[in-house]
């Protein structure tokens, strides 16, 4: 199909919302600046408004207009609070799955917005770094921009808190999770994040109680189940952790992360040979896991004063 630039500057909001041709128009590879400007002026009052913005964010994202897509998601997150979590989850899923070259493009676009002093650009940059799992740079950017909790929406604050946790500062992370939950007691992600902090700070039982409360409302939520397994492992209850991973695998069959973590838990409880055999059969391409299990097996033989066997086990890794 030949690319066509669609001029819609003369369309008013009523036509936009009522036109069945709008999404066909927006799907064209060239989305005009005027279309984005109209989108920015539209209020967010009805379900139609929300649906339109969410669909438009997807279209902008698909056209690699990441800064405009992020802004469109953010308008839904900030104004009609009841749709904030849905919009944040959709945004997070889309951006976190970008490939490396797309991530660079997204960061470049937001960097230009920062250079132009556009509102909320610094917050968007920090958010993207964290969604791309570059937590160290995310924390550094948060601090270098001079941002504080008050500059963030709850969804942005969650990711900053999680970045603090992932970079080894559970105290700072927990403090931010607490502030989110004081303002929004139903912010499930922050409850889960806080449970990780509580666990590594030595309060795993309280963390598990909090997670059980969340689980009672969301029994098939994988994030909750991963957190419960994490608490069990940190408490040394590795068999209980393997049972939680079984639940995850029942909900999400073949989930490679759950399989990997479950086999590590089996190894931690002493069943290294069993874990190694399963890794060879179920995750044959996961060399990092297999090498890790091989090393653990060698350590066990050293403990048993079987140094020659340990050398034989480790020889392929050297």
């Amino acid at each position: 199909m030949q690319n066509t630039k669609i001029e819609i500057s003369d369309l008013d909001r009523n036509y936009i919302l009522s036109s069945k041709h709008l999404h066909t128009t927006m799907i064209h590879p060239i989305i005009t600046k005027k279309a984005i400007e109209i989108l920015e002026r539209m209020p967010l009052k009805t379900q139609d408004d929300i649906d339109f913005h969410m669909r438009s964010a997807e279209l902008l994202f698909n056209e690699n207009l990441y800064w405009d897509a992020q802004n469109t998601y953010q308008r839904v997150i900030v104004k009609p609070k009841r749709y904030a979590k849905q919009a944040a989850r959709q945004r997070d899923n889309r951006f976190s799955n970008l490939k490396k070259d797309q991530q660079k493009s997204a960061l470049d676009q937001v960097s230009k917005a920062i250079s132009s002093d556009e509102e909320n650009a610094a917050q968007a940059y920090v958010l993207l770094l964290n969604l791309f799992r570059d937590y160290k740079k995310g924390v550094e950017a948060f601090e270098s921009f001079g941002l504080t909790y008050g500059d963030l929406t709850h969804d942005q604050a969650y990711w900053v808190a999680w970045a603090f946790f992932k970079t080894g500062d559970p105290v700072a992370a927990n403090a931010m999770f607490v502030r989110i939950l004081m303002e929004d007691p139903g912010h499930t992600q922050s409850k889960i994040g806080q449970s990780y902090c509580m666990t590594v700070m030595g309060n795993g039982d309280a963390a598990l109680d909090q997670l059980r409360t969340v689980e009672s409302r969301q029994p098939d939520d994988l994030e909750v189940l991963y957190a419960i397994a994490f608490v069990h492992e940190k408490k040394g209850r590795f068999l209980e952790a393997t049972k939680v991973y079984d639940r995850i695998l029942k909900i999400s069959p073949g989930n490679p992360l759950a399989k990997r973590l479950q086999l590590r838990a089996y190894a931690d409880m002493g069943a290294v040979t069993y874990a190694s055999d399963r890794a060879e059969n179920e995750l044959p391409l996961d060399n990092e896991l297999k090498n890790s299990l091989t090393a653990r097996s060698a350590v066990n033989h050293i403990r048993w004063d079987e140094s020659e066997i340990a050398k034989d086990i480790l020889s392929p890794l050297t």
Side-chain angles (χ1 to χ4, degrees), residues 4 11 31 43 58 63 70 99 241 251 282 285 296 306:
T4 305
L11 301 183
I31 301 178
E58 288 288 287
E63 294 300 328
Q70 197 277 341
K99 297 177 181 177
I251 298 167
E282 299 175 23
L285 301 180
R296 292 188 191 200
E306 297 174 340

Side-chain angles (χ1 to χ4, degrees), residues 260-302:
R260 165 188 273 253
L261 293 174
Q262 185 181 54
L263 294 181
R264 288 189 183 279
Y266 275 120
D268 286 337
M269 65 186 285
V272 180
T273 302
Y274 171 75
S276 297
D277 290 344
R278 278 190 54 184
E280 190 64 47
N281 292 326
E282 299 175 23
L283 298 169
L285 301 180
D286 194 336
N287 291 324
E288 181 183 351
L289 173 63
K290 291 191 295 181
N291 291 343
S292 171
L293 295 175
T294 298
R296 292 188 191 200
S297 178
V299 168
N300 283 345
H301 283 285
I302 291 172

Side-chain angles (χ1 to χ4, degrees), residues 191-211:
K191 289 183 180 179
I192 296 170
Q194 187 186 39
S195 74
Y196 281 94
C197 297
M198 294 164 67
T199 301
V200 300
M201 291 191 297
N203 203 2
D205 290 334
L208 193 57
D209 288 342
Q210 178 163 288
L211 289 168

Side-chain angles (χ1 to χ4, degrees), residues 48-258:
D48 283 342
D49 296 343
I50 302 301
D51 291 343
F52 177 80
H53 270 72
M54 295 288 280
R55 175 62 176 152
S56 297
E58 288 288 287
L59 295 168
L60 291 164
F61 183 94
N62 291 338
E63 294 300 328
N64 304 324
L65 295 173
Y66 300 119
W67 169 239
D68 293 307
Q70 197 277 341
N71 270 341
T72 304
Y73 281 125
Q74 200 65 19
R75 277 194 295 277
V76 178
I77 290 167
V78 171
K79 291 189 178 178
K81 296 292 186 181
R82 62 188 180 278
Y83 301 106
K85 292 174 185 176
Q86 173 193 349
R89 186 176 292 273
Q90 182 171 308
R91 177 205 59 199
D92 294 353
N93 287 340
R94 295 307 304 270
F95 278 97
S96 63
N97 287 312
L98 287 177
K99 297 177 181 177
K100 289 294 183 182
D101 59 327
Q102 295 171 317
Q103 292 179 10
K104 183 179 183 304
S105 175
L107 289 170
D108 287 345
Q109 289 179 34
V110 179
S111 291
K112 290 179 181 177
I114 292 172
S115 299
S116 301
D117 292 325
E118 295 203 40
E119 187 177 4
N120 296 317
Q123 292 91 324
Y125 192 84
V126 172
L127 174 67
L128 289 183
L129 287 171
N130 291 329
L131 289 176
F132 299 156
R133 298 178 179 81
D134 197 343
Y135 300 116
K136 184 174 184 293
K137 287 186 178 178
V139 169
E140 290 172 351
F142 174 73
E143 293 174 344
S144 66
F145 287 135
L147 297 172
T148 66
Y149 174 83
D151 298 316
L152 308 172
T153 55
H154 290 160
D155 62 292
Q156 294 168 337
Y158 163 80
W159 281 107
V160 172
W162 186 243
F164 276 124
F165 175 78
K166 294 294 285 185
T167 53
D169 192 348
V171 175
N174 187 64
M176 193 165 287
F177 285 133
V178 167
R179 293 192 68 175
I180 297 170
L181 291 168
M182 286 177 63
E183 297 174 2
D184 183 4
H187 199 275
T188 301
Q189 278 186 302
S190 291
K191 289 183 180 179
I192 296 170
Q194 187 186 39
S195 74
Y196 281 94
C197 297
M198 294 164 67
T199 301
V200 300
M201 291 191 297
N203 203 2
D205 290 334
L208 193 57
D209 288 342
Q210 178 163 288
L211 289 168
R212 292 298 189 199
T213 301
V214 177
E215 182 194 19
S216 67
R217 296 192 298 269
Q218 301 169 212
D220 293 337
D221 189 311
L222 296 188
E223 291 184 20
V224 177
L225 294 177
Y226 277 122
I228 291 173
F230 178 83
V231 176
H232 283 312
E233 291 194 55
K234 290 299 181 182
K235 297 285 288 183
R237 298 191 289 254
F238 301 111
L239 182 60
E240 290 302 314
T242 65
K243 292 177 181 178
V244 178
Y245 292 128
D246 278 334
R247 288 181 58 193
I248 294 173
L249 289 166
K250 186 175 181 180
I251 298 167
S252 178
N255 187 311
L257 176 60

